[in-house]
Amino acid sequence: MLLNNNVTEFILPGLTQDPVKKKIVFVFFLLFYLGTLLDNLLIIITVKTSQIFKSPMYFFLLYLSLSDTCFSTSIAPRMIVDALLKNSTISFSECMIQVFSAHFFGCLEIFILILVAVDRYVAICKPLHYVSTMNRQVCSVLVAIACVGACVYSSVQIFLTLSLPFCGPNVIDHYLCDLQPLLKLACTDTYVINLLLVTNSGAICAVSFVMLMFAYVIILHSLRNHRAEGRKKALSTCISHIIVVILFFGPCIFIYTRPATTFPMDKMIAVFYTIVTPLVNPLIYTLRNAEVKIAMRKLWSKKLISDDQR
């Protein structure tokens, strides 16, 4: 419920107010966002139109690319446009929508990363049960559960945010609407709300990270019993997955597992997991994978043949 809210819009100063630096920010983030769209849409089209889509791992990676695309889209376009404006404002409703969408797709990405780890665990540690355990119906149900879980998590965040009264200051010291800078603007004691937010966001980040690292330690330990060729391939896959996990969870844990305090470096750290990570995820996770490269070559070969036949 909205309480005594006299604020109808917020001011977003962005990363800088310097006109020259704002132009640099515009070019930089436009290129990053276009790269994110290109990388992830290429993965989505390739996986969806090829035989590797039948593989549970690539089924999950398709949804990872989809969540990366949506996560970046919930933040980057507005930030790019705001870099061209002298004074950037966002309405209260739009701010709440951005909070919900960013946390929904961010949480969905966390759950998808867990599903990818589960898939690798079953494939490497329980290979004889892999086909029966990770069938398409099970994978679809797991993705649906991940979506529901992300929706519940984001709804809790929005409910807690809407329970705060905003009756005075409206300058968000950030380039996006997020929980920590919004807490600083509330004209009430936010200790309990912050504790609940940290419990919600922080617990999901920290617990998920520990679960993922523990799972990959078990997987890497079990690789000792595999043949050299299979061990090399599985090791390469797992290491790339671990890199993505560290790149995503490191900044998130720093931001969301601490009390309601903000630091000057918060904006740049937020840039890393909101803009940079969605770009590098497909490069690390999928585009370096031999099966994906082969599928891409086949896709482009078919396109070239169809163009020649016209």
Side-chain angles (χ1 to χ4, degrees):
M1 181 182 292
L2 204 61
L3 298 178
N4 301 323
N5 184 21
N6 298 324
V7 175
T8 59
E9 66 178 17
F10 295 103
I11 298 173
L12 291 171
L15 290 173
T16 179
Q17 287 296 298
D18 183 274
V20 176
K21 291 181 180 178
K22 289 184 79 169
K23 291 178 181 178
I24 296 174
V25 168
F26 170 78
V27 174
F28 178 80
F29 287 108
L30 178 61
L31 292 175
F32 264 68
Y33 180 58
L34 292 177
T36 299
L37 291 181
L38 179 63
D39 286 352
N40 285 291
L41 290 176
L42 184 60
I43 295 300
I44 293 170
I45 293 171
T46 301
V47 173
K48 190 68 176 176
T49 58
S50 65
Q51 291 296 317
I52 61 174
F53 183 61
K54 297 179 181 179
S55 167
M57 184 177 76
Y58 293 107
F59 177 79
F60 292 137
L61 290 180
L62 181 146
Y63 282 97
L64 180 66
S65 287
L66 187 61
S67 62
D68 268 336
T69 303
C70 295
F71 179 61
S72 183
T73 301
S74 68
I75 297 168
R78 181 171 190 96
M79 182 182 180
I80 293 167
V81 173
D82 286 349
L84 296 175
L85 303 176
K86 185 177 180 180
N87 296 309
S88 174
T89 61
I90 183 171
S91 71
F92 186 89
S93 299
E94 289 175 325
C95 182
M96 295 302 105
I97 291 172
Q98 187 177 68
V99 170
F100 179 86
S101 58
H103 280 267
F104 173 80
F105 291 112
C107 185
L108 179 60
E109 184 166 343
I110 289 175
F111 291 154
I112 296 296
L113 288 172
I114 292 174
L115 294 181
V116 172
V118 170
D119 172 77
R120 291 300 84 200
Y121 171 79
V122 177
I124 294 172
C125 301
K126 309 287 182 180
L128 297 178
H129 303 283
Y130 182 67
V131 176
S132 59
T133 303
M134 302 303 292
N135 59 64
R136 179 49 56 84
Q137 184 177 2
V138 170
C139 292
S140 298
V141 170
L142 290 175
V143 170
I145 293 173
C147 291
V148 172
C151 186
V152 171
Y153 159 78
S154 303
S155 299
V156 171
Q157 302 295 81
I158 283 294
F159 176 79
L160 292 174
T161 306
L162 290 176
S163 67
L164 294 171
F166 298 98
C167 49
N170 68 334
V171 179
I172 299 176
D173 186 22
H174 217 298
Y175 62 86
L176 77 159
C177 283
D178 204 5
L179 302 171
Q180 297 287 23
L182 281 172
L183 283 174
K184 293 179 65 177
L185 302 182
C187 48
T188 187
D189 182 12
T190 61
Y191 177 79
V192 175
I193 296 294
N194 179 68
L195 190 62
L196 293 172
L197 289 174
V198 169
T199 302
N200 192 24
S201 301
I204 285 182
C205 290
V207 173
S208 297
F209 178 72
V210 171
M211 286 174 56
L212 283 166
M213 296 308 296
F214 183 70
Y216 282 115
V217 167
I218 294 175
I219 292 170
L220 292 175
H221 183 265
S222 69
L223 288 176
R224 297 183 307 166
N225 302 322
H226 288 65
R227 294 180 180 178
E229 184 178 350
R231 183 168 62 244
K232 183 179 178 181
K233 182 180 178 181
L235 184 63
S236 175
T237 301
C238 289
I239 288 176
S240 66
H241 292 189
I242 291 171
I243 291 172
V244 169
V245 168
I246 293 173
L247 289 177
F248 182 78
F249 280 93
C252 289
I253 290 174
F254 177 81
I255 295 293
Y256 294 110
T257 58
R258 66 171 198 248
T261 54
T262 56
F263 300 111
M265 68 182 76
D266 284 357
K267 291 182 184 181
M268 293 310 301
I269 292 175
V271 165
F272 194 81
Y273 72 85
T274 59
I275 305 296
V276 178
T277 301
L279 174 66
V280 301
N281 270 359
L283 299 176
I284 298 174
Y285 242 125
T286 314
L287 293 178
R288 63 186 294 275
N289 187 288
E291 291 177 317
V292 175
K293 290 178 181 178
I294 293 171
M296 284 182 177
R297 291 193 193 102
K298 290 180 179 179
L299 178 65
W300 285 108
S301 297
K302 289 179 181 179
K303 186 180 185 305
L304 291 173
I305 291 171
S306 62
D307 288 344
D308 291 339
Q309 292 175 346
R310 289 178 182 177

